[in-house]
Amino acid sequence: MPELVLELNGQTWSLDPTRSYGVGRDPQGDLVLQDARVSWRHATVRWGGQNWILEDHGSTNGTYAQGQRVQELPLGPGSVIHLGNATDGPRLTFSGTAPVPQQQQQQEPQQHQQYQQPQQAPQQAFGDPVPVMAGHAPAMPPHQPPGHQPPGHQPGADPAGAGDRGATTFHHLAVGQVTRIGRALENELVVSDLQVSRHHAEFLAHSDGRYELHDLGSHNGTYVNGQRMDKNGRRYLGQNDTVGIGHSTFRLVGNQLQEFVDTGEVSFSARHLTVQVNNGRTTILNDVSFGVPEKSLIGVIGPSGSGKSTLLRALTGYRPATYGEVLYDHRNLYTHFAELRHRIGLVPQDDILHKELPIRQALRLAAQLRFPGDVAEAERNARVEEVLGELKLDIHATKRISSLSGGQRKRVSVALELLTKPSLIFLDEPTSGLDPGMDRDVMQLLRGLADDGRTVLVVTHSVAELGLCDRVLVMAPGGGVAYFGPPDEALNFFGYDNWADVFSAFENYRDYDWMGRWRGSQHYQIYAADLDAVQPQAANFQPVAAAAEQKAQTWGSQVWTLMRRYAAVIFADKGFLGLTVALPVILGAVSLAIPADFGLGYGRPENGGRNSQASIILLVLVVGMCFSGAANAVRELIKERVIYERERAVGLSRSAYLMSKVFVLGIVTIFQAAILGAIGFGPREMPAEGVLFTSSPALEMTLVIMVLGCTSMMIGLVISSLVRTSEMTMPLLVMISVVQLVFTGALFEVHGKLGVEQLAWLMPSRWALAGTATTADLNTLTASIADPDAGGDPLWNHAAGWWLLDVSMLIALGVACGFLVMKFLRRHEPEVMRD
């Protein structure tokens, strides 16, 4: 075979045709380059059977020959390749006896080839003796490659958060000039990022040498050193201050702005993460440290109770660690959460889209909530179509999510997170409940996401496809790290043949110091020791109010978008629509079984002058509306809890979410009340006159039923915000309905009974029955001939003032329930969002 010699940075390698050579910044590669313009796994040099070939792996900044970007190129003596830049990028020179390919001079860029990770010989592990089962032996010591740098190595923190990467571009700030930044082309500094407003901010260079930053009312905010500026606010900048706008970070150096664009190639690490509960008496996450390189796939596994979910919440900032720090490209996530949260995607175990909607419609509605209000519909839709194509969902775009397979539904959840182009994606049990084939498809999807320029961390119980990961983190009982490193070395490290035996050992030897064994191993020295050498400060994180206030859309726009989405979900659910109409019809029909009306003479001979049936009619209609209104809402918040938590983390307003429910459910409930009133009051003889609408007493009583339905709906929302599972809602609904029945005042006299009367004031049914009784003049209807001047219940007096009091109390109870729902919703949000 022809010999080929590669020269790089003064060193030469005689290439072996029997193997391939990985080129990039990955310390595990064969040719390691410490240049920011070179991607992590940039290219591979290999023997192609007829000649040597250089294959680019979709690098960010490209591979160049003869000044032109190439994807795959035949090599020979005299070939010169530049990486990352056509003129001054790192230079690879080839020499030897192989002929120069004739087609090299005219080589054109080719179709991107799917990256296949070069095979590497597994390294054996070393550690303290481990409890072994019969037939298993402890692992053997490894060899450590000379000059090896751990992939989790974190150099000193860069002010711009770019690590050792060079600035993408430089912008000169001329004295007296204004430099505007935004998405619109008329800006002096155009940022092509949908997270950025059309006119986002501007820099002013004053003649006295000071530099001022002015936010132009941006939707997603302008951040200085990780903290959000006030909307339309102004601030003077100091040297090396950083300004975050969308996916770009600007650093002021002299009279220049250095721009660092987050293209996805970011490092990520955790240092000494510890989570304690019960006032520090219980530790559920114990001193976890690990670091991952950019464009990598990390698998997190461990037995139940090992702290995987706690770790995920700490890594995403949803529940900051009690102690320790999380570094996103060398920036503290907890202190920069308001800015960095849009660069992090999270796919929970449960689906985060409404299953009743088609894929395209669901993603378009989600895009309206996540992108700034000045992003045109065409731009949003184009991004949705781009994501659909990337994940091969475009052929299913018109299908309802509920009709998809488990693996396809998980793709849709991933698509939602990819809308905003996050650099870091977390997934919690994405393969739970999937068969082995779908398990593999999902893991291959995640492998592709990492190769395309993202860092992906997946918590999983499945171990079948761990080989697709770059690193695997094994959590031990007690929340400590038992292993972190390449997946193909993990079993040797533990000394077992399969993961079932490893997990059995965790269970059988729960008191064994798994964490201590890991820290005594050479794998620890390679992959985590550098991180542990730096002691972070205690988190002491306080929720950032600005993070909670930041909204891509205005409050009204969020409400309108949420209302349209909720209405679409309702109309897509034919069963719910049918039940919505049938329930008041059935309840109204049941009330007609009582052969009575609201006339004075009804039943007089039989009951001594009383029309006792009138109160029973009102009782049936009032309790029926209490049940119907509460049933409409009792499941609405609990079933969307995961969706709400995720949307809240990316800027959804809590009050906008609640009001969207109130408006849509209110319309449904009023519609039901109208049906119930029409059936319950229409066929009967009505009182001679009402107290407000003298000629329409039926309408007056129906209005009371409508207000009662809305108040009962708010009670249903309170229940839905309190419970932990949907199964708990129905028993509580039944209990509330029975309690309402007892305290209406129609079954027994409530007025004048100390304690009972005051408790009844808290019941919407008490005030609703009183409101309808006021219109019907129930005190007169139920009065006995023997004692026609008996006082009766004052809340039933036939007067406009009493009617208004009854209705006002219903409204007040509904508003009070709204405040309770707002308070209870706060408990289901990321801790960093709890203002």
Side-chain angles (χ1 to χ4, degrees):
M1 294 182 183
E3 181 186 51
L4 191 67
V5 177
L6 184 153
E7 180 179 352
L8 172 66
N9 295 333
Q11 293 183 295
T12 59
W13 290 265
S14 180
L15 303 184
D16 181 1
T18 64
R19 56 163 299 188
S20 59
Y21 296 83
V23 183
R25 297 209 319 277
D26 185 356
Q28 294 287 334
D30 302 288
L31 305 173
V32 182
L33 295 157
Q34 299 300 326
D35 190 294
R37 295 167 294 182
V38 178
S39 294
W40 191 257
R41 297 186 185 94
H42 195 104
T44 296
V45 177
R46 59 182 174 84
W47 174 251
Q50 300 295 326
N51 51 267
W52 287 93
I53 294 174
L54 183 140
E55 179 184 357
D56 185 279
H57 296 310
S59 61
T60 301
N61 295 317
T63 301
Y64 299 87
Q66 302 292 325
Q68 296 205 7
R69 184 164 183 166
V70 296
Q71 195 66 43
E72 188 175 289
L73 182 74
L75 300 173
S79 297
V80 177
I81 303 297
H82 287 277
L83 305 179
N85 187 283
T87 55
D88 61 351
R91 173 172 169 160
L92 281 67
T93 304
F94 297 87
S95 61
T97 59
V100 180
Q102 295 297 320
Q103 65 269 39
Q104 178 175 324
Q105 301 299 326
Q106 290 81 29
Q107 182 69 31
E108 296 293 334
Q110 297 186 10
Q111 183 73 19
H112 173 67
Q113 303 290 324
Q114 183 178 2
Y115 172 68
Q116 295 182 349
Q117 187 172 352
Q119 296 291 327
Q120 296 182 2
Q123 300 176 358
Q124 294 180 320
F126 173 78
D128 294 335
V130 58
V132 295
M133 301 174 67
H136 296 278
M140 299 297 292
H143 76 275
Q144 183 172 343
H148 175 79
Q149 291 292 329
H153 175 70
Q154 303 286 347
D158 187 286
D164 56 359
R165 278 190 285 278
T168 308
T169 54
F170 299 87
H171 308 279
H172 179 73
L173 299 177
V175 175
Q177 290 187 355
V178 175
T179 303
R180 293 176 300 169
I181 299 177
R183 207 175 68 251
L185 296 179
E186 59 265 25
N187 292 287
E188 286 77 19
L189 205 165
V190 179
V191 180
S192 299
D193 182 354
L194 292 183
Q195 294 287 339
V196 177
S197 298
R198 289 181 54 81
H199 301 95
H200 198 102
E202 61 185 16
F203 289 94
L204 296 84
H206 293 284
S207 58
D208 59 2
R210 294 189 301 169
Y211 297 90
E212 185 180 4
L213 176 65
H214 178 204
D215 180 88
L216 300 178
S218 61
H219 292 275
N220 280 330
T222 303
Y223 300 84
V224 177
N225 298 327
Q227 304 304 312
R228 188 175 192 256
M229 291 180 59
D230 293 334
K231 201 167 188 176
N232 295 306
R234 295 178 178 271
R235 178 166 175 174
Y236 285 100
L237 300 177
Q239 288 296 306
N240 289 318
D241 276 351
T242 62
V243 178
I245 296 177
H247 284 79
S248 296
T249 302
F250 301 88
R251 180 171 57 190
L252 180 63
V253 179
N255 63 348
Q256 280 188 336
L257 274 181
Q258 298 182 359
E259 181 180 4
F260 302 82
V261 179
D262 187 345
T263 59
E265 297 185 341
V266 297
S267 60
F268 185 76
S269 63
R271 290 178 177 170
H272 302 283
L273 289 185
T274 300
V275 175
Q276 296 175 334
V277 295
N278 298 327
N279 294 322
R281 294 190 296 271
T282 304
T283 299
I284 57 177
L285 194 68
N286 187 9
D287 200 13
V288 174
S289 297
F290 66 95
V292 299
E294 58 196 45
K295 296 177 67 172
S296 59
L297 174 60
I298 311 300
V300 180
I301 62 174
S304 298
S306 58
K308 300 188 298 297
S309 296
T310 302
L311 173 64
L312 185 64
R313 297 182 74 83
L315 293 176
T316 56
Y318 273 40
R319 179 180 179 174
T322 308
Y323 180 81
E325 61 187 0
V326 177
L327 298 180
Y328 175 100
D329 219 19
H330 314 286
R331 301 174 67 184
N332 191 304
L333 176 64
Y334 295 162
T335 57
H336 294 77
F337 180 81
E339 175 187 354
L340 297 178
R341 60 177 174 157
H342 291 290
R343 307 187 193 182
I344 297 175
L346 173 62
V347 180
Q349 183 174 349
D350 297 324
D351 293 327
I352 51 178
L353 286 166
H354 294 85
K355 299 178 184 179
E356 299 85 356
L357 300 179
I359 297 175
R360 179 177 284 118
Q361 182 183 11
L363 291 179
R364 286 183 174 181
L365 288 169
Q368 290 183 35
L369 291 174
R370 299 199 177 199
F371 288 130
D374 61 359
V375 175
E377 181 180 2
E379 292 179 281
R380 291 197 308 266
N381 293 345
R383 178 57 188 159
V384 169
E385 297 304 317
E386 183 180 348
V387 171
L388 288 173
E390 180 180 358
L391 296 184
K392 298 180 176 59
L393 289 170
D394 45 349
I395 59 176
H396 305 291
T398 58
K399 295 181 180 178
R400 287 190 183 181
I401 298 174
S402 58
S403 68
L404 304 176
S405 66
Q408 289 173 330
R409 285 203 305 271
K410 194 57 61 177
R411 281 179 178 265
V412 177
S413 294
V414 172
L416 171 62
E417 293 303 311
L418 291 185
L419 289 175
T420 55
K421 297 184 179 181
S423 304
L424 186 63
I425 302 177
F426 294 91
L427 300 99
D428 187 10
E429 300 287 355
T431 61
S432 177
L434 302 184
D435 61 48
M438 289 184 179
D439 180 5
R440 179 181 57 198
D441 291 343
V442 171
M443 291 301 292
Q444 287 177 341
L445 166 67
L446 302 183
R447 175 71 264 172
L449 292 178
D451 292 337
D452 286 342
R454 305 172 184 91
T455 300
V456 183
L457 188 145
V458 52
V459 174
T460 180
H461 276 106
S462 175
V463 297
E465 304 298 332
L466 285 180
L468 293 172
C469 299
D470 297 292
R471 301 286 184 269
V472 61
L473 174 67
V474 183
M475 300 293 292
V481 178
Y483 172 82
F484 178 72
D488 54 359
E489 301 174 24
L491 289 176
N492 285 336
F493 176 87
F494 289 107
Y496 293 103
D497 295 330
N498 56 70
W499 284 106
D501 290 338
V502 175
F503 279 52
S504 294
F506 284 147
E507 180 65 28
N508 296 331
Y509 302 95
R510 298 189 69 87
D511 295 333
Y512 182 78
D513 188 8
W514 297 100
M515 187 174 174
R517 177 179 182 272
W518 155 247
R519 290 180 180 272
S521 69
Q522 289 193 15
H523 273 78
Y524 169 79
Q525 297 298 324
I526 296 173
Y527 298 110
D530 283 2
L531 291 171
D532 272 352
V534 180
Q535 293 294 328
Q537 299 297 316
N540 292 327
F541 180 78
Q542 297 295 327
V544 181
E549 296 168 358
Q550 174 191 333
K551 305 176 186 67
Q553 299 278 341
T554 63
W555 187 87
S557 297
Q558 286 193 354
V559 172
W560 177 239
T561 300
L562 290 169
M563 286 177 61
R564 290 191 295 116
R565 181 178 72 179
Y566 189 27
V569 170
I570 290 177
F571 281 105
D573 189 347
K574 304 303 181 185
F576 178 81
L577 283 177
L579 185 61
T580 298
V581 176
L583 186 58
V585 171
I586 294 173
L587 292 175
V590 168
S591 72
L592 290 179
I594 305 172
D597 55 32
F598 297 95
L600 285 173
Y602 181 81
R604 183 178 298 244
E606 292 81 7
N607 58 23
R610 300 185 63 192
N611 185 352
S612 59
Q613 301 296 327
S615 62
I616 301 301
I617 296 171
L618 296 180
L619 175 66
V620 171
L621 295 176
V622 165
V623 174
M625 196 65 244
C626 285
F627 178 83
S628 181
N632 288 338
V634 76
R635 292 181 181 269
E636 290 307 310
L637 300 184
I638 180 63
K639 74 179 184 181
E640 291 186 356
R641 186 159 294 172
V642 175
I643 298 175
Y644 171 71
E645 182 181 45
R646 181 61 192 134
E647 291 182 339
R648 178 72 173 134
V650 294
L652 177 66
S653 165
R654 184 191 308 154
S655 59
Y657 177 76
L658 175 59
M659 290 309 299
S660 70
K661 295 292 184 186
V662 171
F663 287 151
V664 176
L665 287 174
I667 294 173
V668 171
T669 303
I670 289 173
F671 171 73
Q672 289 179 320
I675 295 177
L676 187 62
I679 297 175
F681 298 128
R684 303 182 189 276
E685 178 185 346
M686 287 290 104
E689 61 181 20
V691 294
L692 290 182
F693 306 101
T694 55
S695 60
S696 302
L699 175 61
E700 194 170 277
M701 289 193 287
T702 301
L703 287 176
V704 177
I705 296 296
M706 289 179 176
V707 178
L708 168 66
C710 293
T711 302
S712 298
M713 175 201 72
M714 297 305 299
I715 293 177
L717 290 177
V718 171
I719 295 174
S720 192
S721 63
L722 273 173
V723 297
R724 295 184 178 180
T725 63
S726 295
E727 290 74 16
M728 298 173 63
T729 58
M730 294 313 296
L732 289 174
L733 177 60
V734 172
M735 181 191 72
I736 290 293
S737 299
V738 172
V739 172
Q740 297 260 42
L741 170 66
V742 171
F743 289 96
T744 55
L747 295 181
F748 65 95
E749 187 174 354
V750 172
H751 171 64
K753 294 188 176 181
L754 184 63
V756 175
E757 182 177 19
Q758 286 70 36
L759 183 60
W761 290 345
L762 300 176
M763 305 299 161
S765 61
R766 165 66 168 153
W767 299 102
L769 191 134
T772 55
T774 296
T775 300
D777 195 7
L778 200 59
N779 278 333
T780 300
L781 289 178
T782 58
S784 170
I785 292 178
D787 188 13
D789 297 326
D793 194 327
L795 295 182
W796 297 358
N797 288 339
H798 189 67
W802 289 104
W803 189 92
L804 291 173
L805 172 64
D806 297 333
V807 173
S808 298
M809 287 302 299
L810 279 174
I811 295 174
L813 288 173
V815 172
C817 287
F819 281 110
L820 288 176
V821 176
M822 287 283 287
K823 182 177 180 62
F824 295 146
L825 277 176
R826 181 179 178 273
R827 302 188 309 168
H828 306 300
E829 300 171 355
E831 288 190 12
V832 292
M833 304 298 298
R834 298 178 185 176
D835 52 356

